Amino acid sequence: MLDVKLLRQDIQLVAERLKIKGFSLDIEQFQALEQQRKQTDIQTQQLQAEKKSTSKQVGQLIQSGLSVDDAKAKVADSLKVIDQNLADVIEQNKTVNAALTDLLLSLPNLPDATVPAGQSEDENVEIACWGEPRSYDFPVQDHVDLGQALQGLDFNLGGKITGSRFAVMRKGIARLHRALAQYMLDTHCDQHGYEELNVPYIVNQASLTGTGQLPKFEQDLFKLDTDQNNAYYLIPTAEVPVTNLLRDVIVESKNTQGFTALPLKFAAHTACFRSEAGSSGRDVRGMIRQHQFEKIELVQAVYPEDSDAALEALTADAEAILQALELPYRKVLLCGGDLGFSAQKTYDLEVWLPSQQCYREISSCSNFGDFQARRMQARYRLADGKPQLLHTLNGSGLAVGRTLLAVMENHQCADGRIAVPKVLQAYMQGISHIG
């Protein structure tokens, strides 16, 4: 959530920066609500002062010779009117502040000064490339054909059990998928310094509001049919439960929940669930866009002055996995029009897919600044200091299903087998090929 002070101080500047994201800020709406808020604040103060003054009259009347009961009776009607007016104004003030909060929750984060202008992914800026796409002396197959020939990937069974955009993995492919997840988690925790977490796959509304999925993106979520006053949702990513560990928390030396110092670095392997609303007709073949998939999520909470460097380091942690798996990829800086709602800066890592002859996203690494922290009231406090909002970051390290298909396609052999990358062979009991 944006700091309301920014809008009060220079709303035109905020509007201009949000235009980079393609968002049009309703300045008149904000200013009208602000005017109402100020008026109700003033009226509240005036009525409270009037009530205090009227109440004092009781003592003055007693001093003039009236009894206590007569003195109270003399001002009772006036106090009753004041109390009713005060209650009405306080209710109006609550309504206006609720509307302001709703407006603030609908506003995306401001893009970082380094974010380029642009309207779509076509205008993202390539920062670096790693590895050379391999040349094949045989017809290249996509992961669907490879998986079906190995009897390891079955979309028909997924459709039978559930519906479209679900898959069943079997045999060596299922094992390779598991090996990938375990390798990623081990690497990030043992080599990159992340703390391993196991978190719920179901979260409440407050958690999704904290990280920015609600209220704007409810259509993208799987909502469970429960009590509407306490709705539950399947997680779209482990970012939600992991980041919300810090909701309403002050990180300091004596924190009883164990969050005693920044930076905090967490890694979690979870299933993820997305409705893929608005993606009809896109990537209907294969595992690119599934309703259920697995991911290793990396989350960091850092001091504000460290978040720029933390984004570079987190992205490098995700890149290390791609390099170890010998998967060609490129790193791109997202333009304003492709930048996510909560992000102020994002790098996408895009892996090479031989069957499509192009790079496809496999990880998105973002710095959110204090945007999520303000929504969650996630703060830190230095010795004898005032609580300050921390900065949050996250990224995929990596999306397991997309990494699986990238390994299958990039390491396919002429005879239809899949070569297992060396770093995974220990997780596959020494198997060098699937098939």
Side-chain angles (χ1 to χ4, degrees):
M1 187 160 61
L2 296 181
D3 186 349
V4 69
K5 293 178 183 177
L6 291 175
L7 283 82
R8 290 170 181 165
Q9 292 169 357
D10 196 342
I11 194 169
Q12 293 292 345
L13 177 62
V14 173
E16 287 300 316
R17 291 184 66 187
L18 288 178
K19 280 183 181 178
I20 296 174
K21 277 192 167 184
F23 184 89
S24 179
L25 175 60
D26 191 335
I27 295 176
E28 291 184 359
Q29 180 188 15
F30 175 77
Q31 291 178 333
L33 288 171
E34 269 291 280
Q35 184 61 32
Q36 294 175 47
R37 180 191 63 80
K38 290 177 182 177
Q39 288 176 349
T40 55
D41 282 346
I42 292 171
Q43 289 173 338
T44 298
Q45 293 169 5
Q46 289 174 340
L47 286 167
Q48 287 172 337
E50 186 178 349
K51 180 177 180 179
K52 184 177 181 180
S53 176
T54 304
S55 297
K56 284 184 178 180
Q57 292 178 20
V58 174
Q60 294 169 354
L61 290 169
I62 292 172
Q63 289 178 354
S64 69
L66 287 180
S67 67
V68 174
D69 290 341
D70 288 344
K72 288 183 177 179
K74 197 169 183 66
V75 300
D77 289 342
S78 296
L79 282 174
K80 185 176 181 181
V81 172
I82 293 171
D83 283 340
Q84 183 59 58
N85 290 339
L86 184 58
D88 291 343
V89 171
I90 289 174
E91 190 60 35
Q92 292 170 21
N93 187 267
K94 288 180 180 179
T95 301
V96 170
N97 277 297
L100 273 169
T101 299
D102 288 344
L103 175 60
L104 288 170
L105 288 173
S106 73
L107 302 182
N109 198 0
L110 300 181
D112 186 77
T114 60
V115 171
Q119 298 181 353
S120 71
E121 62 184 23
D122 296 330
E123 296 171 90
N124 293 339
V125 178
E126 183 178 294
I127 302 298
C129 275
W130 185 92
E132 286 292 331
R134 174 184 162 194
S135 296
Y136 300 87
D137 56 5
F138 56 87
V140 171
Q141 299 185 74
D142 71 2
H143 68 282
V144 177
D145 291 336
L146 286 165
Q148 289 177 342
L150 293 169
Q151 296 184 334
L153 199 53
D154 197 318
F155 295 95
N156 291 327
L157 282 177
K160 173 185 176 181
I161 295 167
T162 310
S164 61
R165 298 186 189 265
F166 289 90
V168 171
M169 286 177 275
R170 304 174 64 188
K171 303 180 180 179
I173 299 301
R175 188 170 191 169
L176 179 59
H177 184 270
R178 173 164 56 89
L180 281 165
Q182 188 65 60
Y183 167 70
M184 294 176 193
L185 196 57
D186 286 352
T187 299
H188 292 310
C189 295
D190 297 342
Q191 298 180 27
H192 299 157
Y194 290 83
E195 175 187 337
E196 182 175 350
L197 298 176
N198 188 297
V199 293
Y201 293 0
I202 297 174
V203 292
N204 56 30
Q205 291 173 306
S207 293
L208 287 157
T209 301
T211 45
Q213 284 79 13
L214 288 179
K216 190 174 178 64
F217 302 104
E218 186 166 18
Q219 65 173 355
D220 297 325
L221 304 169
F222 280 107
K223 185 176 182 179
L224 303 183
D225 188 13
T226 56
D227 180 3
Q228 293 302 303
N229 295 321
N230 189 27
Y232 291 126
Y233 299 79
L234 297 177
I235 60 170
T237 165
E239 166 199 354
V240 180
V242 174
T243 311
N244 271 276
L245 293 175
L246 300 174
R247 175 156 47 95
D248 297 322
V249 166
I250 299 177
V251 178
E252 56 186 340
S253 60
K254 296 182 180 180
N255 188 292
T256 58
Q257 294 173 299
F259 305 121
T260 58
L262 299 177
L264 294 168
K265 298 172 64 175
F266 301 118
H269 171 213
T270 69
C272 306
F273 306 89
R274 297 184 185 174
S275 70
E276 294 296 344
S279 67
S280 178
R282 294 180 60 198
D283 298 314
V284 294
R285 179 176 170 84
M287 296 184 67
I288 289 287
R289 202 174 295 277
Q290 295 274 281
H291 288 309
Q292 174 185 307
F293 58 96
E294 294 178 32
K295 220 170 26 138
I296 307 298
E297 191 74 6
L298 308 177
V299 173
Q300 293 194 25
V302 302
Y303 294 115
E305 61 270 23
D306 297 334
S307 64
D308 289 339
L311 176 61
E312 302 298 327
L314 186 149
T315 306
D317 292 338
E319 290 182 76
I321 302 296
L322 289 166
Q323 293 173 13
L325 296 173
E326 302 176 72
L327 296 175
Y329 69 93
R330 68 172 189 161
K331 173 183 175 182
V332 299
L333 174 62
L334 298 197
C335 69
D338 199 29
L339 197 59
F341 176 82
S342 298
Q344 68 178 29
K345 183 176 182 178
T346 297
Y347 292 119
D348 271 6
L349 302 179
E350 300 177 346
V351 69
W352 177 257
L353 295 185
S355 67
Q356 298 184 16
Q357 288 292 292
C358 68
Y359 291 97
R360 298 299 303 268
E361 180 200 335
I362 197 168
S363 174
S364 190
C365 302
S366 300
N367 183 1
F368 303 102
D370 62 13
F371 187 81
Q372 292 180 329
R374 182 170 286 105
R375 295 167 80 105
M376 296 186 301
Q377 283 300 288
R379 296 171 291 170
Y380 70 93
R381 176 162 45 205
L382 300 177
D384 300 323
K386 180 182 178 181
Q388 303 288 332
L389 294 171
L390 49 75
H391 280 199
T392 59
L393 307 94
N394 73 45
S396 304
L398 306 159
V400 184
R402 291 194 180 188
T403 308
L404 172 71
L405 70 90
V407 168
M408 291 172 66
E409 292 196 10
N410 281 278
H411 295 300
Q412 62 183 288
C413 304
D415 59 6
R417 294 185 302 162
I418 308 295
V420 178
K422 291 181 180 179
V423 293
L424 296 181
Q425 291 179 15
Y427 294 88
M428 302 280 291
Q429 290 191 337
I431 296 173
S432 62
H433 291 78
I434 297 174

